[in-house]
Amino acid sequence: MEYKTHIRVRNLSVSYGKEQALKNVTVDLPEKKITAIIGPSGCGKTTLLKSFNRLIDSIDGIKVQGEVYLNGDNIYGPGIDVTHLRKKMGLLSQRPHPLPMSIYDNVAYGPRIHGIRKKRRLNEIVEHYLRESSLWDEVKDRLHTPASRLSVGQQQKLCLARGLAVEPQIILGDEPTSALDPNASQRIEKKFLQLKEKYTIIIVTHILRQAMRLADYVVFMYLGELIEHGPAQRVFKEPQEELTRGYIKGVII
Amino acid sequence: MKLRFVEEKFFNLLMVVSTVLIVASLVAILVTVFIKGLPALRLSMITQVPKGGFYLGKEGGILNAILGSLYLAGGATVLAIFISLPIVIYFNVYAPERSVFVNLCRFSLDVLWGVPSIVFGAFGFTIMLFFGLRASLLGGIIAVALLILPVMSRAMDEVVKMVPRGLLEASYSLGATKLETSVKVVVRQALPGILTAVLVAFGRGIGDAASVIFTAGFTDSIPISLMRPAATLPLAIFFQLGTPFPEVQERAYASALVLTFMILVISIAARLLTKSFTKHVIK
Ligand SMILES: Nc1ncnc2c1ncn2[C@@H]1O[C@H](COP(=O)(O)OP(=O)(O)OP(=O)(O)O)[C@@H](O)[C@H]1O
Ligand SMILES: [Mg+2]
């Protein structure tokens, strides 16, 4: 099966001060597929994910070498508008972080920042993306109540809607279901499977079964190095590397 | 086992005793002000300025000082907010984490916090002399703003520090700039704490006599210009208490009652006014 590449990572190395978190990572991530980044704790999964939307920029002492190409442009190259880049990717974090405002304003936050002012247009956007993340029916009667009153699962869906509302091409998820109960996790997973029709999805996960359920493509990391990557079927059935085999069998955790 | 039990009891007792001590002294102050002040409190006190011989026990009121204090503390608070917010946003959003410069600034503010207010008064006065200004409302506002700046900015700093990193990242990842994130997310999230900081600073400003004695001066008329001297309640209380006449001294307590009441009303009003803005805070 042929993949169309969306994110092309070339010799990416990231270090926090003296500690090197990513070592010379090179990989192509496919478009409109779900890619799962797996690996033991502290191996650099979050760092890799956050290097895609340059959220790691603001950490002190960070040093980034190498290139990440998005639609052919190196996002670490000169003349890149970081806010514009970030708009192309929605981020779901480990714990949902609704903004301190109403449900409506949470979804409208991104569009407003990017210049949409018309009330009618905003209403449409809010409804559309709340439907897209299957939250609309639960919240349509209380759009103007604080987002903090939603359950954690609902908050994560709200964060998804908020991220989608800036019309990204890519959804990044850093263990997006780890704070949710099994039911809510399942709903988010189902959502991802629908969303990959339109978006490139990259998730970090600790849960191997989740990666098996969702992923089309798998990236296995170990101690900052990319050990193995490939179509999910192949990596899970016939891992080429000893380390991958160990991790999948549960020997390495 | 036994020792742990005794320890627990002892510290429990200690806590109760200190709580009672604090609350009791607060109540004692309020009761004293109330008992001594209430009989002397007349409507004319808050509607009139001092007439001739007011400090000898004749007719008049302290409207000059009430308005003077409100303008002065209000102006100083507003000025201090406009300086504190950018400082705090810089510390917590713009500056690199663990910045030596920021920690040095924090330390300096902490030291300034402890500096007696008379020093701010004297400092303000020197500056005013340098610019050829006389004691005036403006001078007082600047001196008090300097006085309350450390309290306000450090109190705000402590709450803004608590805003979770993930919240900032959520905003950044939607394409927001640091400024947009600061104004729309950080300030909103920290608003209850910021308000507390403002009120604490306002309270310190309106209650302080030493910083305004040279800088704002005193006058019996209502302040009408930034360049003219202005009366303040703490000084009015001080002058009245300093007279040998019991009826004037009683009025000092009445004035103190007015001051206390003003702070109370303003605090409650500010809380109510900002209630609708703080309900969205993420717990
Ligand atoms: N802000 C930071 N400052 C210094 N070191 C960091 C920072 N963030 C991460 N690291 C280090 O970089 C390495 C990779 O961290 P990263 O968060 O990317 O791992 P991870 O694979 O996401 O782990 P987990 O599965 O536990 O989330 C770790 O050794 C970590 O200690
Ligand atoms: Mg992580």
Side-chain angles (χ1 to χ4, degrees):
Chain A
M1 195 159 122
E2 269 304 300
Y3 292 115
K4 206 165 153 248
T5 299
H6 199 167
I7 300 182
R8 189 186 297 275
V9 184
R10 286 293 172 270
N11 305 318
L12 184 70
S13 294
V14 175
S15 45
Y16 299 100
K18 283 195 190 66
E19 184 173 346
Q20 198 169 7
L22 289 183
K23 295 170 196 159
N24 223 17
V25 173
T26 293
V27 63
D28 288 346
L29 302 180
E31 184 171 9
K32 295 194 178 145
K33 297 276 179 260
I34 299 181
T35 299
I37 304 175
I38 57 172
S41 197
C43 68
K45 304 183 295 293
T46 301
T47 307
L48 181 62
L49 195 76
K50 287 188 175 168
S51 67
F52 295 155
N53 68 354
R54 291 187 55 174
L55 258 190
I56 52 169
D57 281 18
S58 57
I59 297 168
D60 322 323
I62 193 110
K63 230 174 75 205
V64 182
Q65 281 171 332
E67 296 107 51
V68 176
Y69 295 95
L70 180 72
N71 310 324
D73 297 322
N74 178 13
I75 64 167
Y76 286 97
I80 285 287
D81 176 357
V82 179
T83 57
H84 192 70
L85 165 75
R86 287 185 184 146
K87 185 175 170 301
K88 293 187 191 152
M89 309 191 197
L91 177 76
L92 281 180
S93 52
Q94 213 159 340
R95 266 189 25 168
H97 281 289
L99 302 171
M101 42 191 85
S102 67
I103 295 171
Y104 183 97
D105 289 336
N106 258 275
V107 184
Y109 182 82
R112 279 190 180 129
I113 279 179
H114 299 293
I116 297 173
R117 287 270 169 273
K118 284 216 185 68
K119 188 85 188 145
R120 267 246 323 275
R121 182 86 191 92
L122 284 174
N123 288 344
E124 284 166 16
I125 290 175
V126 169
E127 175 166 351
H128 180 259
Y129 289 105
L130 283 174
R131 281 189 194 282
E132 187 97 339
S133 63
S134 337
L135 191 60
W136 176 253
D137 291 327
E138 293 158 67
V139 301
K140 62 171 186 277
D141 300 320
R142 46 172 176 149
L143 287 176
H144 295 282
T145 59
S148 53
R149 292 203 199 130
L150 295 172
S151 74
V152 182
Q154 289 173 324
Q155 287 182 9
Q156 194 62 301
K157 282 194 203 163
L158 178 66
C159 291
L160 181 62
R162 183 181 69 189
L164 295 180
V166 294
E167 299 177 346
Q169 310 163 350
I170 299 172
I171 299 169
L172 305 174
D174 191 358
E175 302 182 38
T177 61
S178 62
L180 311 184
D181 64 66
N183 261 325
S185 305
Q186 214 178 23
R187 281 198 294 271
I188 292 272
E189 282 187 17
K190 250 168 69 196
K191 201 74 242 171
F192 280 156
L193 289 171
Q194 292 164 12
L195 287 171
K196 75 171 178 178
E197 305 265 311
K198 290 192 230 160
Y199 304 93
T200 298
I201 300 177
I202 300 167
I203 57 167
V204 166
T205 179
H206 255 125
I207 313 162
L208 210 53
R209 295 175 144 285
Q210 185 175 54
M212 289 176 179
R213 282 194 297 268
L214 292 179
D216 302 298
Y217 202 81
V218 172
V219 174
F220 174 63
M221 310 268 306
Y222 189 77
L223 295 178
E225 276 176 76
L226 187 145
I227 304 297
E228 185 165 358
H229 63 99
Q233 291 281 347
R234 209 219 68 226
V235 175
F236 287 129
K237 286 233 175 68
E238 309 147 17
Q240 313 280 304
E241 302 289 327
E242 199 57 48
L243 281 167
T244 322
R245 212 166 300 145
Y247 185 73
I248 291 170
K249 281 207 195 112
V251 186
I252 301 171
I253 32 170
Chain B
M1 203 56 210
K2 197 87 198 300
L3 186 67
R4 287 178 59 206
F5 185 72
V6 174
E7 242 174 29
E8 176 76 18
K9 276 271 174 247
F10 175 73
F11 280 100
N12 252 332
L13 192 71
L14 206 67
M15 285 179 231
V16 171
V17 169
S18 19
T19 310
V20 168
L21 221 69
I22 295 285
V23 174
S25 35
L26 187 67
V27 169
I29 292 173
L30 287 179
V31 167
T32 312
V33 169
F34 222 78
I35 290 179
K36 291 204 167 184
L38 206 55
L41 194 62
R42 303 274 179 280
L43 191 62
S44 63
M45 273 200 68
I46 56 171
T47 56
Q48 292 181 8
V49 295
K51 303 241 168 79
F54 176 70
Y55 298 100
L56 304 172
K58 298 251 176 67
E59 287 291 285
I62 49 163
L63 184 63
N64 60 329
I66 293 175
L67 289 181
S69 268
L70 279 180
Y71 292 165
L72 209 143
T77 305
V78 171
L79 190 59
I81 291 174
F82 279 105
I83 304 172
S84 296
L85 271 181
I87 293 180
V88 169
I89 296 290
Y90 174 74
F91 281 6
N92 293 288
V93 180
Y94 283 81
E97 287 167 70
R98 296 188 295 264
S99 148
V100 177
F101 173 68
V102 167
N103 282 331
L104 206 68
C105 289
R106 286 195 170 117
F107 177 70
S108 319
L109 286 170
D110 287 343
V111 172
L112 283 175
W113 190 339
V115 168
S117 58
I118 187 76
V119 176
F120 284 94
F123 176 72
F125 188 58
T126 322
I127 301 280
M128 284 163 59
L129 283 183
F130 182 77
F131 286 106
L133 285 171
R134 288 179 45 237
S136 60
L137 183 57
L138 183 66
I141 286 178
I142 293 171
V144 173
L146 288 176
L147 170 75
I148 65 180
L149 187 68
V151 196
M152 192 188 279
S153 52
R154 283 294 282 128
M156 281 184 188
D157 187 29
E158 289 301 321
V159 291
V160 171
K161 238 193 243 174
M162 302 300 288
V163 175
R165 174 98 210 144
L167 205 53
L168 300 184
E169 290 191 349
S171 173
Y172 293 151
S173 63
L174 294 166
T177 59
K178 285 191 168 182
L179 186 64
E180 286 161 339
T181 305
S182 305
V183 174
K184 296 183 179 179
V185 176
V186 176
V187 170
R188 268 188 118 161
Q189 170 71 9
L191 200 58
I194 289 178
L195 183 66
T196 306
V198 169
L199 288 176
V200 167
F202 177 82
R204 175 151 196 215
I206 203 169
D208 194 72
S211 60
V212 292
I213 194 159
F214 305 123
T215 52
F218 200 82
T219 166
D220 280 348
S221 51
I222 288 173
I224 41 161
S225 154
L226 277 174
M227 291 308 169
R228 302 272 284 278
T232 42
L233 273 170
L235 282 181
I237 295 167
F238 176 70
F239 292 145
Q240 294 175 91
L241 264 184
T243 63
F245 310 106
E247 60 268 44
V248 182
Q249 287 177 0
E250 263 172 36
R251 281 198 208 141
Y253 285 102
S255 311
L257 194 59
V258 171
L259 179 57
T260 313
F261 195 69
M262 271 165 56
I263 295 179
L264 199 69
V265 168
I266 288 167
S267 303
I268 293 173
R271 292 258 170 234
L272 290 180
L273 281 177
T274 50
K275 200 162 179 181
S276 60
F277 296 107
T278 55
K279 70 173 182 203
H280 292 297
V281 167
I282 308 293
K283 305 258 161 42

